[in-house]
Amino acid sequence: MEYETVELDDKDDALVIIDQTKLPGKTEIIRLKTAQEMWDAIYLLKVRGAPAIGVAAAFGIYLLAKQIDTADYSTFLAEFRKQKEYLDSSRPTAVNLSWALKRMEKIVTDNGDKSVEEIKRLLKTEADAIKAEDIRVCKTIGEFGLTLVKPGDGILTHCNAGQLATSKYGTATAPIYLGEERGYHFRVFADETRPLLQGARLTSYELHSSGVDVTLICDNMAATVMKNGWVDAVFVGCDRVARNGDTANKIGTSSVAIAANYYNVPIYICAPTSTIDMNTATGADIHIEERPAEEVTQMWYRERMAPEGVKVYNPAFDVTDHSLIAGIVTEYGIAREPYEESFREIFARKENAEYD
Ligand SMILES: CSC[C@@H](O)[C@@H](O)C(=O)COP(=O)(O)O
């Protein structure tokens, strides 16, 4: 892709993103400067996908911190926390948002002995590191994911866990992009992903423009392509993984997982360790965002598709039970049942790597 999903323009004090609600028809780059603009961009899905939201929030809070006009540490910290809470309230399910904001807050609280100017410089370094890590992490997830498939395989994916959802490579698409570079020539099926069509508008767009063999299907066709024997593996991203491996991802993922299990197709969740929330015990503890009815009844279509005033239920995510998941692919290896134990090993590997 020609543009980056999320960028910082430090000279112009702007968070620069592609407005993903306009894709694939129009590539519109927008510049966000105020807390309200950043909050709206996340809530309205102009920037979306768990890792991309985290990177946007890190750059966003840095820019908002830069605007705090005081040399007094306590005043700075109080205002920083206010802005952080505000950005954190934009979407509840993707843990990367609060993860990135907490990481930025730690820079402020760990450096209370430094000047406010110095803390602002450290915040910029941390936000840059969060983005650079995201790129490295996605690439490594791609390498591990690639060990689970073979050349020519059929891969099904749901929603968009691609480049547009991260800083580069994507998570669920990382094995596909790396495989493509190495001549694996996968056949990819992209679920359109109602109601907001991230699969149709974003995944099929980014894979098709990268030369990947991608076929767009409606969500209710996933079981059929599996029954036809066209799918060897399912790769999806996630917004939050609970300690027991239950996984929240875009609504419809659990139906894909149930069909995949029925047809003996393994489903793999691609999850940066930043998306694994060891403080959440099970999927029942994950807050599932509910969004406006209009997204179901009329958005993206010229005509209304449902009667005025009809009742609508519009949860943005669902939870796939850990028992349906064949493996959770992280940047420190592939976690398997029992997930809690496996995650502890993965986090220990991460800690050792950081220590080395
Ligand atoms: C690597 S992105 C992982 C998930 O965030 C993705 O699969 C997803 O569900 C995105 O939902 P969205 O509502 O478009 O932000």
Side-chain angles (χ1 to χ4, degrees):
M1 266 184 342
E2 220 177 309
Y3 299 97
E4 299 211 17
T5 309
V6 183
E7 262 184 306
L8 171 72
D9 182 343
D10 203 18
K11 285 205 184 86
D12 188 39
D13 291 337
L15 173 61
V16 184
I17 60 165
I18 305 179
D19 181 349
Q20 297 193 30
T21 61
K22 302 275 168 55
L23 289 171
K26 206 165 154 199
T27 304
E28 191 174 310
I29 307 297
I30 53 173
R31 309 176 72 78
L32 313 170
K33 297 194 167 187
T34 66
Q36 180 76 59
E37 285 168 350
M38 293 170 195
W39 193 97
D40 286 349
I42 296 173
Y43 177 71
L44 296 171
L45 275 56
K46 293 180 180 190
V47 57
R48 31 74 44 211
I53 294 173
V55 174
F59 283 142
I61 194 69
Y62 159 66
L63 289 170
L64 298 176
K66 225 175 144 186
Q67 291 169 24
I68 303 172
D69 188 16
T70 181
D72 176 62
Y73 177 76
S74 309
T75 313
F76 177 76
L77 177 62
E79 184 57 25
F80 180 93
R81 284 192 163 140
K82 213 166 86 190
Q83 302 285 16
K84 176 200 151 219
E85 294 309 318
Y86 179 61
L87 288 186
D88 206 8
S89 69
S90 54
R91 290 195 81 190
T93 307
V95 68
N96 302 60
L97 176 61
S98 55
W99 169 85
L101 288 169
K102 274 189 205 134
R103 219 173 121 165
M104 295 295 281
E105 183 182 33
K106 191 163 183 308
I107 294 296
V108 181
T109 51
D110 282 358
N111 290 287
D113 56 333
K114 307 220 168 59
S115 73
V116 167
E117 275 319 296
E118 180 58 19
I119 294 173
K120 289 179 181 175
R121 275 192 289 276
L122 294 172
L123 283 169
K124 156 102 173 41
T125 308
E126 189 69 359
D128 283 337
I130 288 173
K131 180 172 174 179
E133 273 170 38
D134 183 35
I135 298 173
R136 275 201 312 275
V137 161
C138 287
K139 187 151 190 228
T140 317
I141 286 176
E143 296 289 358
F144 282 116
L146 211 49
T147 65
L148 300 166
V149 279
K150 40 184 206 321
D153 270 359
I155 295 176
L156 185 137
T157 190
H158 188 76
C159 193
N160 174 267
Q163 307 223 17
L164 286 160
T166 63
S167 303
K168 209 174 169 183
Y169 301 109
T171 57
T173 57
I176 298 170
Y177 284 121
L178 292 187
E180 199 60 26
E181 280 170 24
R182 295 170 199 177
Y184 275 50
H185 303 306
F186 297 123
R187 292 165 293 106
V188 180
F189 293 91
D191 285 354
E192 65 170 349
T193 317
R194 279 281 286 147
L196 295 183
L197 303 174
Q198 288 93 331
R201 295 184 305 104
L202 309 175
T203 303
S204 75
Y205 161 71
E206 62 164 84
L207 291 179
H208 181 67
S209 49
S210 304
V212 174
D213 174 349
V214 58
T215 303
L216 176 64
I217 57 171
C218 298
D219 296 333
N220 49 10
M221 298 167 191
T224 295
V225 294
M226 290 180 201
K227 187 176 183 182
N228 290 351
W230 297 347
V231 182
D232 299 286
V234 175
F235 282 102
V236 291
C238 55
D239 287 80
R240 191 181 297 246
V241 180
R243 198 161 67 226
N244 70 342
D246 288 352
T247 293
N249 189 46
K250 178 54 55 195
I251 189 74
T253 305
S254 68
S255 319
V256 172
I258 290 164
N261 274 257
Y262 184 80
Y263 289 110
N264 287 319
V265 174
I267 171 162
Y268 299 108
I269 308 291
C270 295
T273 48
S274 55
T275 313
I276 299 171
D277 182 2
M278 295 298 271
N279 294 320
T280 294
T282 73
D285 305 305
I286 299 176
H287 178 173
I288 300 293
E289 175 183 17
E290 270 192 57
R291 296 190 56 91
E294 289 69 34
E295 291 182 349
V296 176
T297 55
Q298 62 210 82
M299 210 166 160
W300 308 119
Y301 297 88
R302 266 182 247 133
E303 304 287 336
R304 260 194 90 80
M305 311 168 54
E308 201 84 59
V310 71
K311 276 204 290 183
V312 171
Y313 173 51
N314 184 17
F317 301 95
D318 62 22
V319 173
T320 298
D321 195 86
H322 61 92
S323 62
L324 298 171
I325 298 167
I328 299 184
V329 188
T330 79
E331 73 275 26
Y332 286 97
I334 302 169
R336 310 258 188 192
E337 290 271 27
Y339 283 108
E340 180 167 350
E341 212 176 298
S342 202
F343 290 154
R344 293 204 189 281
E345 278 167 28
I346 278 171
F347 279 111
R349 249 174 256 158
K350 181 177 177 174
E351 224 165 87
N352 285 341
E354 278 163 10
Y355 186 73
D356 290 347

